[in-house]
Amino acid sequence: MPAEAPSDPVSERHSRSYLVSESAVRSSVAAVLFDMDGTLIDSEKVWDRSLVEVLRWLGGTDLSAEARRETLGGNLASSLAIVFREAGVLQTPELTEQGARMLVDTTAEFFEAGLPWRPGAEEALRTVRAAGVPVALVTNTGRFLTDKALVGIGREHFAVTVCGDEVPRGKPAPDPYLRAAELLAVPVGECVAVEDSPTGIAAAEAAGAAVLAVPCEVAIPPGPGRVVRDTLVGLRIEDLAAVRSVVRERIRA
Ligand SMILES: [Mg+2]
């Protein structure tokens, strides 16, 4: 005869968390939400080359360091606006459409050729999946290019994928993270987001997820909503649980 189900789901969860560490992690981290560019794959450099190509087509020469920083983690529209600004060219609808097509086509060629993993990223995906914690891909990149990247990354890693062109507002707005949590049917406040850029971190923190920041192109300063780590190499599922508990305690304080 099965034991009677506990009447209080909170105390049930609490008592279960002492049984084994894996179930403790499952109960404390509802899902892990991974950014793509710069977090899982080393694609920011590819975006950079594509943006410079559009800039030169507009008569510019090279992106300033500040413009490069601004485009990190951005979406196609925001990055294109920066390129037009850097070139000193008025962004007409016609030029914008041509520039967007050039940006997508150039980037697609790079994505199809395959992109290198960021250190430890592939193993981190496997670790989270092996622990039975749902994984989402949450990217500002559009669906067309994301699907190309997913051929190399492996679609099977993700319970859901959310792209920048599938939500009303891309990162740094919280929309992509809120949508991922909604699709997974988990509270976003019980999720850990893994991000590399200030734009992505702003989105995840605005959504209410605890953030594991793994810097790629620019340094990430400490903040109450995040834990900064050099790389994903050696990431354990317990480390993700620790990120959530550290952030939760800081926010309560
Ligand atoms: Mg990123």
Side-chain angles (χ1 to χ4, degrees):
M1 186 179 165
E4 202 177 319
S7 57
D8 179 356
V10 174
S11 60
E12 182 201 7
R13 184 192 295 183
H14 188 68
S15 62
R16 265 194 203 158
S17 71
Y18 287 95
L19 294 178
V20 290
S21 70
E22 202 169 272
S23 69
V25 171
R26 268 206 298 272
S27 66
S28 66
V29 179
V32 182
L33 317 174
F34 282 92
D35 168 53
M36 185 173 78
D37 296 280
T39 297
L40 289 179
I41 51 175
D42 206 356
S43 48
E44 290 292 3
K45 292 173 188 71
V46 163
W47 277 109
D48 195 73
R49 276 148 69 185
S50 304
L51 289 167
V52 168
E53 190 156 311
V54 178
L55 178 76
R56 290 185 178 154
W57 168 70
L58 290 168
T61 51
D62 205 0
L63 285 172
S64 65
E66 176 58 20
R68 282 207 156 83
R69 203 199 69 81
E70 281 182 77
T71 62
L72 288 177
N75 61 21
L76 189 132
S78 65
S79 298
L80 206 54
I82 292 163
V83 169
F84 272 84
R85 187 197 69 203
E86 289 287 295
V89 173
L90 185 67
Q91 202 176 351
T92 64
E94 191 176 302
L95 283 177
T96 300
E97 195 190 324
Q98 287 179 47
R101 198 176 309 130
M102 180 182 288
L103 188 53
V104 169
D105 289 349
T106 309
T107 309
E109 284 175 28
F110 288 125
F111 274 36
E112 277 171 349
L115 295 156
W117 288 97
R118 292 283 296 141
E122 187 173 17
E123 294 75 16
L125 283 177
R126 294 188 192 286
T127 299
V128 177
R129 283 178 70 205
V133 178
V135 178
L137 182 74
V138 184
T139 177
N140 246 3
T141 296
R143 174 58 65 183
F144 174 76
L145 288 173
T146 299
D147 280 343
K148 293 199 180 298
L150 278 170
V151 173
I153 296 171
R155 200 176 294 273
E156 69 277 7
H157 291 299
F158 308 101
V160 302
T161 59
V162 176
C163 296
D165 55 354
E166 297 170 340
V167 286
R169 298 170 304 168
K171 305 173 189 178
D175 303 29
Y177 279 103
L178 295 174
R179 174 67 60 82
E182 184 188 348
L183 290 172
L184 290 168
V186 295
V188 70
E190 294 180 15
C191 297
V192 175
V194 186
E195 273 283 359
D196 70 299
S197 72
T199 299
I201 291 167
E205 289 182 349
V211 175
L212 175 63
V214 186
C216 179
E217 301 289 341
V218 293
I220 301 295
R226 72 196 71 156
V227 170
V228 183
R229 182 184 167 107
D230 285 344
T231 78
L232 289 173
V233 173
L235 184 80
R236 300 167 309 155
I237 196 73
E238 294 87 346
D239 299 328
L240 290 162
V243 169
R244 185 167 175 251
S245 74
V246 164
V247 168
R248 189 176 47 200
E249 290 308 313
R250 283 183 194 149
I251 288 167
R252 272 190 195 153

